[in-house]
Amino acid sequence: MEKCIVCLKDDHPTTLIKLRQKGCLGIIKASQERGDCLSALEGNFVHQLCRKTYTNPNDIKKYKKEKLVLREINTNTPKLRSKSHFDFKHHCLFCGNEATDSKKKDKNVFQVRTDDFESRIQDACDLRNDDWAAEVRGRLESVSDLHAADAVYHQACSVNFRTCKNTPVFRSPISPDAKPENKKRKASFARRRLLQNSRLP
C-alpha cells in the first residue's frame, strides 16, 4: 500500500501514479499558489484525479476564495479575551482559549517542557506566515522563556498549527452576543469546502 500525498489515503500502487520531476514541480507550484504546505518529491505517489484537481487553475481560484472567506469569518469573530489578559499558565499558546494542566483535568493539555520548543514554533510561524502565525509569534515575543513561564497548549492546536491546518473547530472562539448556530454553520461550511478542495478524495 502507498499513500497519495494529496488526499493522504492509502491505496494500491496500481491505482496511483509515481511522480517524476515534472509532476513534482506542478504540485509544488500549485501548493505555493494555494498557500499550503504540501510538498512533493520524486517517487511519491498520487491519484491521477487528485493531482489533476489539485493543480487545476479553476480549483485553485475557488480554494483561495473560500480560504479568504474563512479568514474573514475568523477575523470578524470577536475574541473571548483581549491579548492583554493572556496568561501562559492558563491559556493555550496557540488558540488563546482557556487550558488546564493535564495533571489536573484536561489530558489534552500539555506544558512546554523543552527549551527548543519555542524555536520549533518560530519555524512553524515562518512556514505558515499567516494571521494565526502572527498571533502566536506575538505571544512568543512577549515572554523570554516559555518553559520558565509554565506555558501550556492544547495538543490538537499544536498539531494543527505545525501542520499548517486551521484552528480546531472546537477551540475556535465564538462571540457571546453572536447567534451561535448561524456563526457555527457558516464557519463549518467554509471549513468543509476548504478541506474538500485542499485534500481531495
Side-chain angles (χ1 to χ4, degrees):
M1 300 291 285
E2 298 290 347
K3 179 175 293 185
C4 171
I5 63 172
V6 175
C7 69
L8 301 180
K9 292 183 178 179
D10 291 323
D11 212 335
H12 195 276
T14 57
T15 65
L16 298 165
I17 297 175
K18 193 172 185 178
L19 289 174
R20 297 183 180 180
Q21 183 178 17
K22 184 177 180 180
C24 292
L25 293 176
I27 289 179
I28 292 173
K29 180 181 178 181
S31 175
Q32 293 173 341
E33 293 179 358
R34 287 170 175 266
D36 58 26
C37 303
L38 182 63
S39 61
L41 300 173
E42 287 190 60
N44 286 157
F45 288 87
V46 63
H47 291 111
Q48 184 174 2
L49 179 60
C50 289
R51 183 178 70 170
K52 182 178 180 180
T53 307
Y54 187 81
T55 58
N56 185 287
N58 291 330
D59 282 284
I60 293 176
K61 289 181 180 179
K62 184 186 298 183
Y63 171 84
K64 292 170 70 174
K65 183 178 180 180
E66 291 170 351
K67 188 175 182 180
L68 179 61
V69 170
L70 182 59
R71 176 175 294 183
E72 291 177 350
I73 292 174
N74 291 333
T75 300
N76 294 329
T77 301
K79 301 297 182 181
L80 292 179
R81 64 186 59 81
S82 64
K83 293 182 180 179
S84 60
H85 291 97
F86 184 84
D87 185 341
F88 285 94
K89 291 184 179 181
H90 300 101
H91 298 152
C92 172
L93 171 65
F94 299 100
C95 72
N97 289 328
E98 186 175 356
T100 305
D101 189 355
S102 59
K103 292 182 179 180
K104 298 177 181 179
K105 295 181 181 180
D106 193 344
K107 294 183 179 180
N108 294 315
V109 175
F110 296 88
Q111 278 191 337
V112 175
R113 299 191 180 282
T114 58
D115 294 331
D116 66 335
F117 185 88
E118 182 174 347
S119 63
R120 288 188 282 118
I121 299 306
Q122 287 282 14
D123 291 340
C125 288
D126 294 337
L127 181 63
R128 292 186 65 96
N129 193 30
D130 58 6
D131 291 341
W132 193 10
E135 186 175 346
V136 172
R137 184 179 283 112
R139 294 181 183 132
L140 294 177
E141 293 174 350
S142 68
V143 66
S144 59
D145 189 336
L146 289 175
H147 189 186
D150 295 328
V152 295
Y153 60 91
H154 296 117
Q155 176 66 7
C157 294
S158 175
V159 172
N160 281 24
F161 186 82
R162 290 182 288 104
T163 55
C164 293
K165 297 179 182 178
N166 293 316
T167 310
V169 176
F170 65 94
R171 299 296 184 194
S172 298
I174 300 176
S175 171
D177 57 351
K179 293 183 178 180
E181 64 278 4
N182 292 336
K183 182 74 69 174
K184 186 175 181 180
R185 187 182 301 114
K186 188 174 182 181
S188 177
F189 176 77
R191 288 189 178 90
R192 186 165 58 254
R193 290 294 302 277
L194 185 61
L195 181 61
Q196 289 173 346
N197 283 285
S198 61
R199 290 288 182 261
L200 306 170

